[in-house]
Amino acid sequence: MRHVASNPAWGYVDHSPLAPLVSYLTRATLGDSLFALRFFPALASAAKIFLGGWIAREVSGGKFAQGFAAFTVLCAPIYLTFDNFLSMNSFEPVFWMACAAIVLRILNGG
């Protein structure tokens, strides 16, 4: 019987197709180490921190507001929890924050 991660399906009841795909890519490129399992959620965390600062800039925030927004995203307990393991919960906020940032950019005439 093959392991689920080596034959990812296009959706599960509790996960979208992205989580198994990222799991498969992680195992294929980085192996099965703890570092490998936490690498892509850490990248998602960095993207959320960047997007927090970008959203602050889009609502006319200065350098302090951008840094403070990024810092608050960094210290948010929900993100500190979800970004420590591989699941869709670490990637989904990135998509929603990116959508909000793009909408704000469009509304600002960008």
Side-chain angles (χ1 to χ4, degrees), residues 7-108:
N7 190 11
W10 282 107
Y12 296 98
V13 174
D14 59 343
H15 289 297
S16 67
L18 182 64
L21 181 64
V22 170
S23 174
Y24 178 77
L25 290 174
T26 299
R27 290 186 69 204
T29 58
L30 301 172
D32 289 331
S33 68
L34 185 59
F35 170 80
L37 287 174
R38 292 183 176 177
F39 181 71
F40 287 110
L43 289 179
S45 178
K48 284 187 280 247
I49 294 167
F50 171 76
L51 287 168
W54 184 22
I55 290 171
R57 186 185 73 191
E58 289 299 322
V59 295
S60 302
K63 296 288 184 190
F64 177 77
Q66 293 171 31
F68 190 68
F71 179 72
T72 57
V73 172
L74 171 70
C75 295
I78 192 76
Y79 296 144
L80 289 174
T81 303
F82 284 154
D83 293 341
N84 281 321
F85 57 91
L86 181 61
S87 76
M88 193 58 206
N89 296 330
S90 60
F91 300 107
E92 187 177 1
V94 175
F95 297 129
W96 287 113
M97 288 178 76
C99 289
I102 290 169
V103 166
L104 284 171
R105 184 73 164 172
I106 291 170
L107 292 174
N108 287 336

